[in-house]
Amino acid sequence: MAKGPRCTSNTGISSEKEISLVLESICEQAVILESFPQLYYELNFVVLSSDGGSIIPALCSAACSALLSAGVEMVDIFAATTAYQVNLQKDKIEPAKASISEQTPLASCTVAATTTSGKILFYQHEGSSSLDVIGELFEKALDGCKKQRKDISLSI
């Protein structure tokens, strides 16, 4: 598989196979595959519940923590975050005050990126909004990824 960010838009990711492909793509970009050419790793996740938002951020954190714990060499720690636009009147991005399932987001942006350099590993946009708001969603999600470095490092 070619290395590079995987992008999806407005279709959402719902099936286990699609989620698996997204996580595989993210991990392949972060792991230094050349160090161990015969390396095979398998990560298994059980999603007990979801609040209706993207589960990619939670699975990315779990995958990164598992790879770090196993001592797998990586280019950088990676994380994912989803930013939501829930208020049309202000046309601003605000933190959700309740769980996403209790609100109807107008648009969302999920970004997976390395936490030091900010290299984009995955991007997904859902909903419709102005280009300015989409850009703001992207920046908020990317900032969220970078802020997770310490938390992920402490988890191992």
Side-chain angles (χ1 to χ4, degrees):
M1 181 182 286
K3 286 191 176 191
R6 181 179 173 93
C7 300
T8 63
S9 178
N10 292 326
T11 58
I13 296 175
S14 57
S15 78
E16 290 179 23
K17 182 65 176 171
E18 289 173 321
I19 292 169
S20 175
L21 289 172
V22 167
L23 289 173
E24 180 181 349
S25 173
I26 291 168
C27 291
E28 280 183 348
Q29 294 175 78
V31 171
I32 301 174
L33 298 172
E34 295 79 22
S35 296
F36 300 98
Q38 301 297 321
L39 176 68
Y40 175 80
Y41 59 91
E42 183 174 330
L43 302 172
N44 295 297
F45 299 100
V46 176
V47 178
L48 300 176
S49 68
S50 174
D51 67 356
S54 175
I55 63 169
I56 297 294
L59 295 175
C60 269
S61 294
C64 187
S65 295
L67 292 169
L68 285 171
S69 293
V72 175
E73 282 189 68
M74 294 192 293
V75 175
D76 193 0
I77 292 174
F78 61 93
T81 306
T82 300
Y84 295 94
Q85 178 191 13
V86 293
N87 188 341
L88 182 61
Q89 291 175 327
K90 293 181 182 178
D91 206 31
K92 292 282 186 185
I93 313 309
E94 296 180 355
K97 296 185 176 37
S99 96
I100 291 303
S101 62
E102 296 173 13
Q103 302 180 30
T104 304
L106 302 169
S108 67
C109 176
T110 300
V111 174
T114 57
T115 59
T116 303
S117 68
K119 177 185 173 192
I120 306 302
L121 306 175
F122 171 79
Y123 170 81
Q124 177 186 10
H125 172 261
E126 291 188 59
S128 62
S129 201
S130 69
L131 286 176
D132 291 340
V133 172
I134 293 170
E136 190 176 346
L137 281 169
F138 178 81
E139 289 300 322
K140 295 274 186 189
L142 184 58
D143 287 344
C145 291
K146 291 178 180 179
K147 290 177 182 176
Q148 291 184 52
R149 181 176 182 79
K150 182 178 178 185
D151 293 335
I152 292 172
S153 296
L154 292 174
S155 72
I156 56 166

